[in-house]
Amino acid sequence: MHSITMESNLTKYWEKGLSMSSSQASSVLVIADSNLPEHYTKEVVDICKKESPTYMISFKGGEGIKTLSQVSEVYLHLEKMGADRKSLVVCLGGGTITDMGGFAASTYKRGVSLIHLPTTVLAMVDAAIGGKTGINTEMQVNFGLLKNQIGTFYNPKMVGINHKWLQSLNEEEILSGWGEMVKHALLKGGTHLKDLMKLSPNLKDLSPLLISSARIKEAIVHRDEKEIGERASLNLGHTVGHAIESLARDKGWEMKHGVAVAWGIVFALEASVMKMGFDKTTADELQNWIVSSISKGIEVDGADAVWSKMSHDKKNVKGNVIDVLMLAPGEVIWDFVWEREEFTILWEKFRGRYA
Ligand SMILES: NC(=O)c1ccc[n+]([C@@H]2O[C@H](COP(=O)([O-])OP(=O)(O)OC[C@H]3O[C@@H](n4cnc5c(N)ncnc54)[C@H](O)[C@@H]3O)[C@@H](O)[C@H]2O)c1
Ligand SMILES: [Zn+2]
């Protein structure tokens, strides 16, 4: 019923879609981020209420809500409101709300209808697109926090885009979403990349490119829904990015995911010049653009620390550290395997340049 089709479910006409889906539903549960200004939630609930009995549950958005116990809270709410298989779940929030709410919707009674209304740049261009849901697990013994360890592939009926919701977002969150937009632009190349390079990472500049950025991910996912091949290219900047993010967390400070990814892309460009013959002048231009847009420096650990994090990456196969590199913008190799020595040399060069 919700398998991914070639038709796009991304729309600016979200009010109409929400109203129509609500009228077809036996009841509606809106899962909202409590950090949002109240009138966002009210507007959404009011549209649904006109068509169908509507209920609301809220969570304070953030990585901490991606747990089984919050999912159970959603299930309980659905039980209490008498939800059935024709009920509709509407997720209004950032990627943590769409991941957790999407997981709950995909598993309740083996799946009820789902609509995503993303309210962060990152969720609009990335998390709400492509049908992956996920929660984290905290194992008592040995493993610690494992991100997105449990999840499903489950496509929403609609992803509604409303730029106005982004107005309450702070600069750091916007920059984080921009990091994923940079990734999409490099995967696509051409005029989309040129257009993004002309813009500063602020809402006014980025707004016109949000939908095209989301569509780049959508197109890749359409070609490879279950990540057998090309979908892995969406990990550009993530092997090193995750390592940087995780090392920062170990030191007790937070580095926003998309910002870590942007640094990961800067490194991937360095590596692509050395390993893939990526044009050095183009790489320099791209690196200068990314680094000057982030505007903050980076504290870079040594190669051993980064390698140790990278070798625990979920994407690795048979113990190899896999990465995404480029021949040119728009020409991507998604199964590059790192040799430790080679990585060390390149990392120290990168470190010398940016630390
Ligand atoms: N499923 C996927 O394919 C996919 C892809 C990328 C990321 N993700 C997941 O997405 C999550 C990150 O998403 P995110 O960056 O949106 O994080 P988030 O949901 O934590 O939102 C970031 C912060 O902004 C707040 N917020 C949200 N919208 C707001 C608004 N309009 N105004 C003011 N504050 C607002 C939230 O309460 C939160 O504090 C991660 O858990 C990641 O694993 C999933
Ligand atoms: Zn990411």
Side-chain angles (χ1 to χ4, degrees), residues 244-264:
I244 296 174
E245 197 179 352
S246 170
L247 286 165
R249 196 178 312 123
D250 291 351
K251 289 190 204 115
W253 51 277
E254 188 197 13
M255 179 158 210
K256 288 277 163 217
H257 173 74
V259 177
V261 168
W263 279 112

Side-chain angles (χ1 to χ4, degrees), residues 33-37 40 59-63 65-66 93-99 118-124 126-134 136 147-148 164-170 173 176-177 180 183 217 231 238 256-257:
D33 187 332
S34 60
N35 284 334
L36 296 174
Y40 294 9
F59 296 91
K60 199 172 161 56
E63 208 54 40
I65 64 163
K66 287 175 55 171
T96 58
I97 292 278
T98 56
D99 268 15
T119 63
T120 62
V121 172
L122 191 136
M124 270 185 200
D126 194 352
I129 312 292
K132 280 187 184 176
T133 78
N136 307 324
K147 268 200 78 176
N148 300 326
K164 285 190 194 148
W165 287 326
L166 300 177
Q167 278 162 8
S168 48
L169 211 55
N170 67 34
E173 295 296 347
S176 182
E180 301 286 4
K183 176 188 80 181
K217 173 164 182 186
R231 189 170 184 160
H238 281 64
K256 288 277 163 217
H257 173 74

Side-chain angles (χ1 to χ4, degrees), residues 190-205:
T191 48
H192 180 86
L193 175 60
K194 287 203 183 88
D195 289 346
L196 188 65
M197 286 180 78
K198 287 182 208 137
L199 309 175
S200 303
N202 63 55
L203 201 54
K204 190 168 155 288
D205 273 23

Side-chain angles (χ1 to χ4, degrees), residues 41 48 50 53 61 74 91 131 156 176 178 185 216 248 254 276 319 343 351:
T41 315
C48 305
K50 280 199 190 123
V74 176
C91 296
S176 182
W178 167 86
I216 292 169
E254 188 197 13
M276 298 290 154
F343 173 80
R351 216 177 152 201

Side-chain angles (χ1 to χ4, degrees), residues 148-164:
N148 300 326
Q149 197 71 358
I150 300 175
T152 53
F153 284 101
Y154 196 72
N155 219 32
K157 283 174 85 164
M158 176 182 93
V159 179
I161 303 294
N162 179 11
H163 294 197
K164 285 190 194 148

